[in-house]
Amino acid sequence: MDLNNLKPADGAVHKEGKRVGRGEGSGKGGTSTRGHKGAKSRSGYSKKIGFEGGQMPLQRRVPKFGFKNINRKEYRGINLGTLQELVDNGTFKSEVTFDALVENGLAHKNDLVKILGDGELKASLKVSVHKFTASAKAAIEAAGGEAISL
């Protein structure tokens, strides 16, 4: 540290904003840095969000399509292969419930769960969740298990 590289601590010095409208001698008098006339020079001016100076705004130029079904149900998909891995790890023995899936982080408590048919299931499991695909239900029953819809 020398005298030539001394500086105040960060945040110790606050630079004051420019003082406008305090006379011609200040250099920022008269129009107070706003220029002459027009809406932008007036008090209370605020531009509309998305306004492009009269040009057709982007959100009106872009074509609209499709719709959102307000009655749509979103399911959390879990594959048979994932269930088989959990059986191999010793997480599940013979029964898979919705609560067990929530405890193991495969679903949240407000989710709807659907078992999907990807992967191979060798273990005989009693699975009780909200929905099953046809192939998943067939695979569970072929392995000697039971598929119960909640």
Side-chain angles (χ1 to χ4, degrees), residues 18-147:
K18 51 175 138 171
R19 285 178 40 126
V20 297
R22 293 290 180 272
E24 287 299 311
S26 69
K28 292 177 180 63
T31 59
S32 303
T33 72
R34 288 170 178 249
H36 293 282
K37 296 189 186 171
K40 277 175 127 175
S41 70
R42 320 280 187 210
S43 68
Y45 167 76
S46 67
K47 183 171 55 117
K48 285 190 177 79
I49 293 172
F51 184 66
E52 298 183 17
Q55 172 176 299
M56 187 59 69
L58 180 67
Q59 72 270 22
R60 290 189 60 198
R61 287 197 303 264
V62 174
K64 309 292 181 277
F65 60 92
F67 78 107
K68 287 265 191 218
N69 183 357
I70 58 167
N71 298 316
R72 178 174 166 76
K73 286 192 173 127
E74 206 46 74
Y75 287 92
R76 171 68 56 114
I78 298 173
N79 281 308
L80 289 175
T82 310
L83 292 180
Q84 183 60 48
E85 281 175 29
L86 291 166
V87 170
D88 295 342
N89 295 344
T91 310
F92 296 133
K93 300 280 186 272
S94 61
E95 194 172 5
V96 179
T97 62
F98 173 69
D99 295 330
L101 292 171
V102 171
E103 282 172 29
N104 289 296
L106 288 167
H108 295 291
K109 62 180 182 170
N110 297 326
D111 283 345
L112 295 171
V113 173
K114 186 172 190 175
I115 303 296
L116 309 174
D118 190 35
E120 195 179 343
L121 185 67
K122 298 177 206 111
S124 171
L125 291 174
K126 181 181 178 184
V127 186
S128 53
V129 293
H130 299 99
K131 276 209 168 179
F132 299 87
T133 59
S135 60
K137 194 166 193 164
I140 291 168
E141 287 164 358
E146 195 180 348

